[in-house]
PDB file of all heavy atoms in Angstrom:
ATOM      1  N   SER D   1       8.921   4.601  -9.697  1.00 96.00           N
ATOM      2  CA  SER D   1       8.475   5.947  -9.328  1.00 96.00           C
ATOM      3  C   SER D   1       6.971   5.968  -9.079  1.00 96.00           C
ATOM      4  O   SER D   1       6.476   6.671  -8.178  1.00 96.00           O
ATOM      5  CB  SER D   1       8.833   6.945 -10.436  1.00 96.00           C
ATOM      6  OG  SER D   1       8.261   6.539 -11.673  1.00 96.00           O
ATOM      7  N   LEU D   2       6.227   5.197  -9.854  1.00 97.00           N
ATOM      8  CA  LEU D   2       4.787   5.130  -9.676  1.00 97.00           C
ATOM      9  C   LEU D   2       4.438   4.463  -8.348  1.00 97.00           C
ATOM     10  O   LEU D   2       3.561   4.931  -7.610  1.00 97.00           O
ATOM     11  CB  LEU D   2       4.166   4.381 -10.853  1.00 97.00           C
ATOM     12  CG  LEU D   2       2.638   4.284 -10.916  1.00 97.00           C
ATOM     13  CD1 LEU D   2       2.168   4.201 -12.373  1.00 97.00           C
ATOM     14  CD2 LEU D   2       2.130   3.061 -10.163  1.00 97.00           C
ATOM     15  N   LEU D   3       5.124   3.376  -8.027  1.00 98.00           N
ATOM     16  CA  LEU D   3       4.869   2.682  -6.769  1.00 98.00           C
ATOM     17  C   LEU D   3       5.191   3.578  -5.577  1.00 98.00           C
ATOM     18  O   LEU D   3       4.458   3.585  -4.577  1.00 98.00           O
ATOM     19  CB  LEU D   3       5.682   1.392  -6.709  1.00 98.00           C
ATOM     20  CG  LEU D   3       5.281   0.307  -7.720  1.00 98.00           C
ATOM     21  CD1 LEU D   3       6.307  -0.818  -7.724  1.00 98.00           C
ATOM     22  CD2 LEU D   3       3.890  -0.239  -7.397  1.00 98.00           C
ATOM     23  N   ALA D   4       6.273   4.314  -5.676  1.00 97.00           N
ATOM     24  CA  ALA D   4       6.654   5.215  -4.587  1.00 97.00           C
ATOM     25  C   ALA D   4       5.589   6.295  -4.380  1.00 97.00           C
ATOM     26  O   ALA D   4       5.229   6.625  -3.247  1.00 97.00           O
ATOM     27  CB  ALA D   4       8.008   5.855  -4.880  1.00 97.00           C
ATOM     28  N   LYS D   5       5.072   6.846  -5.501  1.00 97.00           N
ATOM     29  CA  LYS D   5       4.046   7.881  -5.395  1.00 97.00           C
ATOM     30  C   LYS D   5       2.754   7.316  -4.839  1.00 97.00           C
ATOM     31  O   LYS D   5       2.091   7.946  -3.994  1.00 97.00           O
ATOM     32  CB  LYS D   5       3.798   8.499  -6.779  1.00 97.00           C
ATOM     33  CG  LYS D   5       2.859   9.703  -6.744  1.00 97.00           C
ATOM     34  CD  LYS D   5       3.471  10.859  -5.931  1.00 97.00           C
ATOM     35  CE  LYS D   5       2.580  12.083  -5.948  1.00 97.00           C
ATOM     36  NZ  LYS D   5       3.187  13.204  -5.181  1.00 97.00           N
ATOM     37  N   MET D   6       2.383   6.130  -5.275  1.00 98.00           N
ATOM     38  CA  MET D   6       1.155   5.502  -4.786  1.00 98.00           C
ATOM     39  C   MET D   6       1.227   5.269  -3.281  1.00 98.00           C
ATOM     40  O   MET D   6       0.265   5.519  -2.549  1.00 98.00           O
ATOM     41  CB  MET D   6       0.923   4.170  -5.514  1.00 98.00           C
ATOM     42  CG  MET D   6      -0.419   3.531  -5.219  1.00 98.00           C
ATOM     43  SD  MET D   6      -0.641   1.955  -6.081  1.00 98.00           S
ATOM     44  CE  MET D   6      -0.643   2.503  -7.780  1.00 98.00           C
ATOM     45  N   ASP D   7       2.380   4.833  -2.802  1.00 98.00           N
ATOM     46  CA  ASP D   7       2.534   4.587  -1.368  1.00 98.00           C
ATOM     47  C   ASP D   7       2.526   5.898  -0.589  1.00 98.00           C
ATOM     48  O   ASP D   7       2.002   5.970   0.527  1.00 98.00           O
ATOM     49  CB  ASP D   7       3.833   3.820  -1.117  1.00 98.00           C
ATOM     50  CG  ASP D   7       3.799   3.072   0.203  1.00 98.00           C
ATOM     51  OD1 ASP D   7       2.699   2.772   0.702  1.00 98.00           O
ATOM     52  OD2 ASP D   7       4.883   2.750   0.735  1.00 98.00           O
ATOM     53  N   GLU D   8       3.098   6.933  -1.179  1.00 98.00           N
ATOM     54  CA  GLU D   8       3.095   8.251  -0.539  1.00 98.00           C
ATOM     55  C   GLU D   8       1.662   8.750  -0.333  1.00 98.00           C
ATOM     56  O   GLU D   8       1.335   9.336   0.713  1.00 98.00           O
ATOM     57  CB  GLU D   8       3.877   9.246  -1.407  1.00 98.00           C
ATOM     58  CG  GLU D   8       3.848  10.682  -0.898  1.00 98.00           C
ATOM     59  CD  GLU D   8       4.425  11.662  -1.905  1.00 98.00           C
ATOM     60  OE1 GLU D   8       5.311  11.263  -2.706  1.00 98.00           O
ATOM     61  OE2 GLU D   8       3.990  12.835  -1.909  1.00 98.00           O
ATOM     62  N   LEU D   9       0.798   8.485  -1.329  1.00 98.00           N
ATOM     63  CA  LEU D   9      -0.572   8.980  -1.265  1.00 98.00           C
ATOM     64  C   LEU D   9      -1.504   8.078  -0.459  1.00 98.00           C
ATOM     65  O   LEU D   9      -2.366   8.551   0.283  1.00 98.00           O
ATOM     66  CB  LEU D   9      -1.132   9.132  -2.681  1.00 98.00           C
ATOM     67  CG  LEU D   9      -0.462  10.179  -3.572  1.00 98.00           C
ATOM     68  CD1 LEU D   9      -1.021  10.088  -4.988  1.00 98.00           C
ATOM     69  CD2 LEU D   9      -0.660  11.585  -3.012  1.00 98.00           C
ATOM     70  N   TYR D  10      -1.339   6.759  -0.620  1.00 98.00           N
ATOM     71  CA  TYR D  10      -2.312   5.816  -0.062  1.00 98.00           C
ATOM     72  C   TYR D  10      -1.823   5.082   1.185  1.00 98.00           C
ATOM     73  O   TYR D  10      -2.618   4.404   1.850  1.00 98.00           O
ATOM     74  CB  TYR D  10      -2.698   4.771  -1.117  1.00 98.00           C
ATOM     75  CG  TYR D  10      -3.296   5.330  -2.382  1.00 98.00           C
ATOM     76  CD1 TYR D  10      -3.281   4.590  -3.561  1.00 98.00           C
ATOM     77  CD2 TYR D  10      -3.889   6.600  -2.424  1.00 98.00           C
ATOM     78  CE1 TYR D  10      -3.840   5.079  -4.737  1.00 98.00           C
ATOM     79  CE2 TYR D  10      -4.442   7.100  -3.595  1.00 98.00           C
ATOM     80  CZ  TYR D  10      -4.405   6.340  -4.749  1.00 98.00           C
ATOM     81  OH  TYR D  10      -4.950   6.823  -5.909  1.00 98.00           O
ATOM     82  N   HIS D  11      -0.536   5.183   1.498  1.00 98.00           N
ATOM     83  CA  HIS D  11       0.029   4.581   2.711  1.00 98.00           C
ATOM     84  C   HIS D  11      -0.290   3.088   2.812  1.00 98.00           C
ATOM     85  O   HIS D  11      -0.770   2.594   3.839  1.00 98.00           O
ATOM     86  CB  HIS D  11      -0.484   5.312   3.961  1.00 98.00           C
ATOM     87  CG  HIS D  11      -0.210   6.783   3.954  1.00 98.00           C
ATOM     88  ND1 HIS D  11       1.060   7.307   4.053  1.00 98.00           N
ATOM     89  CD2 HIS D  11      -1.054   7.853   3.834  1.00 98.00           C
ATOM     90  CE1 HIS D  11       1.005   8.634   4.011  1.00 98.00           C
ATOM     91  NE2 HIS D  11      -0.260   8.991   3.871  1.00 98.00           N
ATOM     92  N   PHE D  12      -0.005   2.353   1.745  1.00 98.00           N
ATOM     93  CA  PHE D  12      -0.268   0.919   1.740  1.00 98.00           C
ATOM     94  C   PHE D  12       0.759   0.126   2.552  1.00 98.00           C
ATOM     95  O   PHE D  12       0.417  -0.892   3.161  1.00 98.00           O
ATOM     96  CB  PHE D  12      -0.283   0.381   0.305  1.00 98.00           C
ATOM     97  CG  PHE D  12      -1.554   0.667  -0.446  1.00 98.00           C
ATOM     98  CD1 PHE D  12      -1.520   1.008  -1.790  1.00 98.00           C
ATOM     99  CD2 PHE D  12      -2.795   0.577   0.179  1.00 98.00           C
ATOM    100  CE1 PHE D  12      -2.686   1.253  -2.495  1.00 98.00           C
ATOM    101  CE2 PHE D  12      -3.973   0.819  -0.516  1.00 98.00           C
ATOM    102  CZ  PHE D  12      -3.910   1.164  -1.866  1.00 98.00           C
ATOM    103  N   THR D  13       2.009   0.563   2.572  1.00 98.00           N
ATOM    104  CA  THR D  13       3.052  -0.248   3.219  1.00 98.00           C
ATOM    105  C   THR D  13       2.773  -0.488   4.705  1.00 98.00           C
ATOM    106  O   THR D  13       2.908  -1.625   5.174  1.00 98.00           O
ATOM    107  CB  THR D  13       4.435   0.394   3.025  1.00 98.00           C
ATOM    108  OG1 THR D  13       4.760   0.359   1.622  1.00 98.00           O
ATOM    109  CG2 THR D  13       5.511  -0.367   3.792  1.00 98.00           C
ATOM    110  N   PRO D  14       2.374   0.501   5.492  1.00 96.00           N
ATOM    111  CA  PRO D  14       2.150   0.233   6.921  1.00 96.00           C
ATOM    112  C   PRO D  14       0.758  -0.288   7.253  1.00 96.00           C
ATOM    113  O   PRO D  14       0.439  -0.452   8.439  1.00 96.00           O
ATOM    114  CB  PRO D  14       2.362   1.618   7.556  1.00 96.00           C
ATOM    115  CG  PRO D  14       1.926   2.587   6.495  1.00 96.00           C
ATOM    116  CD  PRO D  14       2.310   1.948   5.183  1.00 96.00           C
ATOM    117  N   ILE D  15      -0.063  -0.579   6.260  1.00 94.00           N
ATOM    118  CA  ILE D  15      -1.449  -0.932   6.532  1.00 94.00           C
ATOM    119  C   ILE D  15      -1.538  -2.234   7.326  1.00 94.00           C
ATOM    120  O   ILE D  15      -0.696  -3.127   7.184  1.00 94.00           O
ATOM    121  CB  ILE D  15      -2.242  -1.036   5.201  1.00 94.00           C
ATOM    122  CG1 ILE D  15      -3.728  -0.778   5.439  1.00 94.00           C
ATOM    123  CG2 ILE D  15      -2.036  -2.393   4.536  1.00 94.00           C
ATOM    124  CD1 ILE D  15      -4.483  -0.403   4.168  1.00 94.00           C
ATOM    125  N   ARG D  16      -2.549  -2.369   8.159  1.00 91.00           N
ATOM    126  CA  ARG D  16      -2.684  -3.532   9.040  1.00 91.00           C
ATOM    127  C   ARG D  16      -3.427  -4.685   8.366  1.00 91.00           C
ATOM    128  O   ARG D  16      -3.132  -5.844   8.621  1.00 91.00           O
ATOM    129  CB  ARG D  16      -3.420  -3.118  10.316  1.00 91.00           C
ATOM    130  CG  ARG D  16      -3.624  -4.257  11.312  1.00 91.00           C
ATOM    131  CD  ARG D  16      -4.371  -3.775  12.546  1.00 91.00           C
ATOM    132  NE  ARG D  16      -4.748  -4.875  13.422  1.00 91.00           N
ATOM    133  CZ  ARG D  16      -5.539  -4.757  14.473  1.00 91.00           C
ATOM    134  NH1 ARG D  16      -6.030  -3.571  14.785  1.00 91.00           N
ATOM    135  NH2 ARG D  16      -5.831  -5.800  15.228  1.00 91.00           N
ATOM    136  N   ASN D  17      -4.391  -4.381   7.524  1.00 93.00           N
ATOM    137  CA  ASN D  17      -5.189  -5.415   6.866  1.00 93.00           C
ATOM    138  C   ASN D  17      -4.280  -6.345   6.064  1.00 93.00           C
ATOM    139  O   ASN D  17      -3.588  -5.923   5.145  1.00 93.00           O
ATOM    140  CB  ASN D  17      -6.223  -4.757   5.950  1.00 93.00           C
ATOM    141  CG  ASN D  17      -7.115  -5.762   5.271  1.00 93.00           C
ATOM    142  OD1 ASN D  17      -6.679  -6.509   4.409  1.00 93.00           O
ATOM    143  ND2 ASN D  17      -8.393  -5.759   5.646  1.00 93.00           N
ATOM    144  N   ALA D  18      -4.288  -7.644   6.408  1.00 94.00           N
ATOM    145  CA  ALA D  18      -3.330  -8.581   5.815  1.00 94.00           C
ATOM    146  C   ALA D  18      -3.572  -8.794   4.328  1.00 94.00           C
ATOM    147  O   ALA D  18      -2.615  -8.963   3.557  1.00 94.00           O
ATOM    148  CB  ALA D  18      -3.388  -9.924   6.555  1.00 94.00           C
ATOM    149  N   ASP D  19      -4.827  -8.794   3.890  1.00 94.00           N
ATOM    150  CA  ASP D  19      -5.110  -9.006   2.473  1.00 94.00           C
ATOM    151  C   ASP D  19      -4.649  -7.829   1.620  1.00 94.00           C
ATOM    152  O   ASP D  19      -4.103  -8.026   0.525  1.00 94.00           O
ATOM    153  CB  ASP D  19      -6.601  -9.255   2.267  1.00 94.00           C
ATOM    154  CG  ASP D  19      -7.015 -10.661   2.672  1.00 94.00           C
ATOM    155  OD1 ASP D  19      -6.805 -11.581   1.872  1.00 94.00           O
ATOM    156  OD2 ASP D  19      -7.519 -10.832   3.786  1.00 94.00           O
ATOM    157  N   ILE D  20      -4.870  -6.607   2.102  1.00 96.00           N
ATOM    158  CA  ILE D  20      -4.372  -5.434   1.369  1.00 96.00           C
ATOM    159  C   ILE D  20      -2.853  -5.421   1.391  1.00 96.00           C
ATOM    160  O   ILE D  20      -2.195  -5.156   0.363  1.00 96.00           O
ATOM    161  CB  ILE D  20      -4.928  -4.134   1.983  1.00 96.00           C
ATOM    162  CG1 ILE D  20      -6.453  -4.115   1.912  1.00 96.00           C
ATOM    163  CG2 ILE D  20      -4.347  -2.921   1.272  1.00 96.00           C
ATOM    164  CD1 ILE D  20      -7.093  -2.932   2.625  1.00 96.00           C
ATOM    165  N   ARG D  21      -2.279  -5.696   2.526  1.00 97.00           N
ATOM    166  CA  ARG D  21      -0.825  -5.735   2.671  1.00 97.00           C
ATOM    167  C   ARG D  21      -0.206  -6.727   1.685  1.00 97.00           C
ATOM    168  O   ARG D  21       0.784  -6.431   1.011  1.00 97.00           O
ATOM    169  CB  ARG D  21      -0.512  -6.135   4.118  1.00 97.00           C
ATOM    170  CG  ARG D  21       0.911  -5.955   4.578  1.00 97.00           C
ATOM    171  CD  ARG D  21       0.950  -6.302   6.057  1.00 97.00           C
ATOM    172  NE  ARG D  21       2.277  -6.361   6.606  1.00 97.00           N
ATOM    173  CZ  ARG D  21       2.558  -6.812   7.824  1.00 97.00           C
ATOM    174  NH1 ARG D  21       1.572  -7.237   8.604  1.00 97.00           N
ATOM    175  NH2 ARG D  21       3.804  -6.843   8.265  1.00 97.00           N
ATOM    176  N   PHE D  22      -0.826  -7.911   1.586  1.00 97.00           N
ATOM    177  CA  PHE D  22      -0.340  -8.931   0.671  1.00 97.00           C
ATOM    178  C   PHE D  22      -0.408  -8.459  -0.780  1.00 97.00           C
ATOM    179  O   PHE D  22       0.560  -8.586  -1.539  1.00 97.00           O
ATOM    180  CB  PHE D  22      -1.160 -10.213   0.840  1.00 97.00           C
ATOM    181  CG  PHE D  22      -1.041 -11.182  -0.294  1.00 97.00           C
ATOM    182  CD1 PHE D  22       0.185 -11.776  -0.597  1.00 97.00           C
ATOM    183  CD2 PHE D  22      -2.140 -11.501  -1.085  1.00 97.00           C
ATOM    184  CE1 PHE D  22       0.304 -12.668  -1.652  1.00 97.00           C
ATOM    185  CE2 PHE D  22      -2.036 -12.389  -2.137  1.00 97.00           C
ATOM    186  CZ  PHE D  22      -0.811 -12.969  -2.434  1.00 97.00           C
ATOM    187  N   ARG D  23      -1.538  -7.891  -1.185  1.00 97.00           N
ATOM    188  CA  ARG D  23      -1.683  -7.468  -2.578  1.00 97.00           C
ATOM    189  C   ARG D  23      -0.731  -6.326  -2.917  1.00 97.00           C
ATOM    190  O   ARG D  23      -0.195  -6.258  -4.030  1.00 97.00           O
ATOM    191  CB  ARG D  23      -3.126  -7.059  -2.852  1.00 97.00           C
ATOM    192  CG  ARG D  23      -4.090  -8.226  -2.965  1.00 97.00           C
ATOM    193  CD  ARG D  23      -3.681  -9.183  -4.060  1.00 97.00           C
ATOM    194  NE  ARG D  23      -4.646 -10.266  -4.244  1.00 97.00           N
ATOM    195  CZ  ARG D  23      -4.490 -11.266  -5.101  1.00 97.00           C
ATOM    196  NH1 ARG D  23      -3.396 -11.324  -5.844  1.00 97.00           N
ATOM    197  NH2 ARG D  23      -5.393 -12.212  -5.217  1.00 97.00           N
ATOM    198  N   TRP D  24      -0.505  -5.431  -1.971  1.00 98.00           N
ATOM    199  CA  TRP D  24       0.442  -4.331  -2.202  1.00 98.00           C
ATOM    200  C   TRP D  24       1.856  -4.881  -2.340  1.00 98.00           C
ATOM    201  O   TRP D  24       2.594  -4.514  -3.269  1.00 98.00           O
ATOM    202  CB  TRP D  24       0.360  -3.315  -1.067  1.00 98.00           C
ATOM    203  CG  TRP D  24       1.462  -2.292  -1.063  1.00 98.00           C
ATOM    204  CD1 TRP D  24       2.414  -2.120  -0.104  1.00 98.00           C
ATOM    205  CD2 TRP D  24       1.722  -1.298  -2.063  1.00 98.00           C
ATOM    206  NE1 TRP D  24       3.264  -1.100  -0.433  1.00 98.00           N
ATOM    207  CE2 TRP D  24       2.863  -0.564  -1.642  1.00 98.00           C
ATOM    208  CE3 TRP D  24       1.116  -0.964  -3.275  1.00 98.00           C
ATOM    209  CZ2 TRP D  24       3.388   0.480  -2.380  1.00 98.00           C
ATOM    210  CZ3 TRP D  24       1.647   0.087  -4.014  1.00 98.00           C
ATOM    211  CH2 TRP D  24       2.770   0.796  -3.579  1.00 98.00           C
TER     212      TRP D  24
END
């Protein structure tokens, strides 16, 4: 539930930056 909320707020899943994408 926390991961879902974090993605809802910060939109990490569609991000283009490969390093951020990897860490997420």
